[in-house]
Amino acid sequence: MSFIMKLHRHFQRTVILLATFCMVSIVISAYYLYNGYKQENELPEIASEVECGDLQLLPYKLMEMKAMKPIDHLRTDLVVLVFVESQYSALGQDIITILESSRFQYHIEIAPGKGDLPVLIDKNKGKYALIVYENILKYVNMDSWNRGLLDKYCVEYGVGVIGFHKGSENSLQSFQLKGFPFLVHSNLGIKDCCINPHSPLLHVTKSSKLDKGPLLGNDWAVFQINHTTYQPVIFAKVKTPENLPPPTTKSILHATVIHDLGLHDGIQRVLFGNNLNFWLHKLIFIDAISFLSGRKLRLSLDRYLLVDIDDIFVGKEGTRMNANDVQALLDTQNLLRAQITNFTFNLGFSGKFYHTGTEEEDEGDDLLLRSVDEFWWFPHMWSHMQPHLFHNESSLVEQMILNKKFALEHGIPIDMGYAVAPHHSGVYPVHVQLYDAWKKVWNIRVTSTEEYPHLKPARYRRGFIHKNIMVLPRQTCGLFTHTIFYKEYPGGPKELDKSIQGGELFFTVVLNPISIFMTHLSNYGNDRLGLYTFVNLANFVHTWTNLKLQTLPPVQLAHKYFELFPEQKDPLWQNPCDDKRHRDIWSKEKTCDRLPKFLVVGPQKTGTTALYLFLIMHPSIISNSPSPKTFEEVQFFNRNNYHRGIDWYMDFFPTPSNVTTDFLFEKSANYFHSEEAPRRAASLIPKAKIITILIDPSDRAYSWYQHQRSHEDPAALKFSFYQVITAGPRAPSELRALQKRCLAPGWYATHIERWLTYFPPYQLLIIDGQQLRTDPSTVMDEVQKFLGVSPHYNYSEALTFDSHKGFWCQLLEEGKTKCLGKSKGRKYPPMDSECRAFLSSYYRDHNVELSKLLHKLGQPLPSWLRQELQKVR
Ligand code: A3P
């Protein structure tokens, strides 16, 4: 018994001992876990401020990238959420500029004082792939509830955070960032900064040696880190104040950018101790976006560069190249090939100006022509005339032939397929004569311009394809015809160097996969600033980035461009007179007044032709002339006619005798449900008013079906209306097509919403088609008021009900009437109740949406809609 008791006691002791041991080990583990394995990882003593050269010697742990949970970015949309301080804050705008230049989608929120986050999740999918705070203090000082929500979102969706802390020029401040185990010293001057070559962020950025010395400003913040979960990305030494108070001088790295690996809470962050004024911060910011978005918002490393030298023979004496300059051009081209694969200068010529310099300069011309095969060549106009000044295509052709003859005489290749017009004239805005002449004489396939859609801002420049000519955006490099001498560079020579070394020109190359630069003959004579610029640019890019530079011949380059940006193929025309630069290169013979002031957009079968007839009765309202071929609607904005260009469109309209009082308009009833029409119309005629007519969508569908029957559409003849509207997904294609034309235009709310994303509500008039049919003069009064047209036209006297036709018609002299033709107001049996019931239910949700929309717009509901809504209840 006593043995059993002993055994029992012994057992009890063992259990207690074991439990105590377990407790102790849990406490110890927790301690080390919390302290990040401090003992094990403790950094050996290193110099108080790390020298760039010492980076290789840094302790292993610093360089090791801890394995984080892989980020699943398919669970979020590829949109960056940016919290800015205000709409106009400078850093906020710099952040947006980089996102826009990189063509990344973003959403801006003004950072709230306390909390209140925007909605972060939509149908189980994260709305944002990355979060950027212009002011990191707004993030760390957020109230705990919202911070908790944001952190939870970041952890669950693998979303990282980028934040900036910019000091002021005031005295030194040291503080701990709430919730982070490191100190921030702010309001400092710094010097001797360098990149941590082991940072996993680096992608575009290559770690290189920065010149020693102070950086601009005393408003820097440095992060004092001594923990392996925070990796420095850019180190710096503190310049002012000379000595930071202890203990900051021991075992400390000062960093202006740190990468929080997220080992504490599962959220990776990159924090910047200043704004983006420092070019290296900008480069690291680009890499941080890429890294924290799991490489989804990432710039490729391939960069294509084409340097055009325009006007190779055009230049005043004294500004042109002599033979030495040409030799330097050849030598530099070879030199550049070491850093830019296949680099070749692309020379544009106007043959008329050959041999118009001094004797030495003429020798330069000769050496150029002896070296024809070393370069690529493209034609300019023979006499450097602006193409928009030629109204006749034939005179343009003549000029081009002269230049082509010159090329043939001098062995200049004529098959590069690329041309550039003086001053962008004729390229954009499109002077169609130029495109046609280029095709005829030179078989041009590619050109480039800075003008599409506008010169500024440069990051919005795009390409497009018109008449099979690929128009590429062109970038500026800071060299113009008058930039000839280094010392006389506008703003001083430092400005050019700044632009090359981390400034505008450098970031043009970083942010654009394809850059076409235009330079001029004068940039290669005298101080040869062209050569200086591109050699230094290539060096700088090579030193600081991993970008691979290369040059492609223009046609290949253009194919590459539209491979990268296929969505840019379709142009978006604008009014040439809305931009002064465009107006200056718009033919005087073409006005901008031949554009409509309003559009009747449909949908079909709602009474659009009746409205058209009534409108043109008004003395100040003028319609387009019908299409000479089809006598039908123009249908410019919805279909391929759009690609014929605005000259084609404007030819349908007369030149108004009085621009203010005359109202040109166009009716194309297909515009209403077109995906493209609202965007295109808003781009060309943004101030135009838009008129739409709605009837019960079920009646509209039935009217369309009857319309197709009378046009002997085989599907409409073969299938009953019921069969058409109820056809399933496996039905024959012609039946499905007819079904779509019957039903889709009736999704009124969806289509109107689309128009309202491009036009403000006060530019949109929604007419009740039933009222137009029964009481047209009241509707026409409303239309006149909406348009602001004068004089007021009395429709109650001008219209009469024609009992024979069964509709309102125009009253002519001697009581005669002018009604619409047979195809409008047809006689057909009423829709059967089965079809009506089906359609009523089919359109239920659409009609509910429409009623909400009309309510929002403050518009009364038409009677048919009220009736339909009653059925819902
Ligand atoms: P139905 O022929 O089916 O009756 P649209 O011109 O947009 O194609 O619309 C044709 C419809 O306009 C006709 O459809 C007709 O009902 C309607 N309508 C309204 N007012 C009219 C009018 N004064 N004369 C003829 N049709 C008119």
Side-chain angles (χ1 to χ4, degrees), residues 90 243 362 431 638 718 736 825:
N243 295 307
D362 287 353
H431 188 56
N638 56 330
K718 191 164 152 199
R736 295 279 293 160

Side-chain angles (χ1 to χ4, degrees), residues 603-610 614 667 703 772-773 805 807-809 820 823-826 828:
Q604 288 159 313
K605 310 318 292 175
T606 55
T608 54
T609 322
F614 302 157
K667 176 212 90 143
S703 171
L772 177 69
R773 186 170 168 161
K805 174 80 179 167
F807 284 93
W808 286 80
C809 302
L820 294 184
S823 63
K824 303 291 165 182
R826 288 196 178 92
Y828 44 80

Side-chain angles (χ1 to χ4, degrees), residues 302-307 332-345 376 509 513 515 517 530-531 533-542 547-552 557:
D302 292 318
R303 293 291 178 282
Y304 300 89
L305 228 74
L306 181 69
V307 179
T332 310
Q333 178 168 276
N334 273 333
L335 190 84
L336 279 169
R337 281 182 182 159
Q339 282 169 335
I340 309 174
T341 311
N342 200 23
F343 182 83
T344 307
F345 283 111
W376 294 336
V509 173
S515 299
F517 293 112
L531 303 183
T533 301
F534 289 103
V535 167
N536 283 297
L537 178 67
N539 270 331
F540 196 82
V541 170
H542 194 69
L547 298 178
K548 287 180 239 119
L549 301 178
Q550 62 171 301
T551 302
L552 285 179
L557 187 71

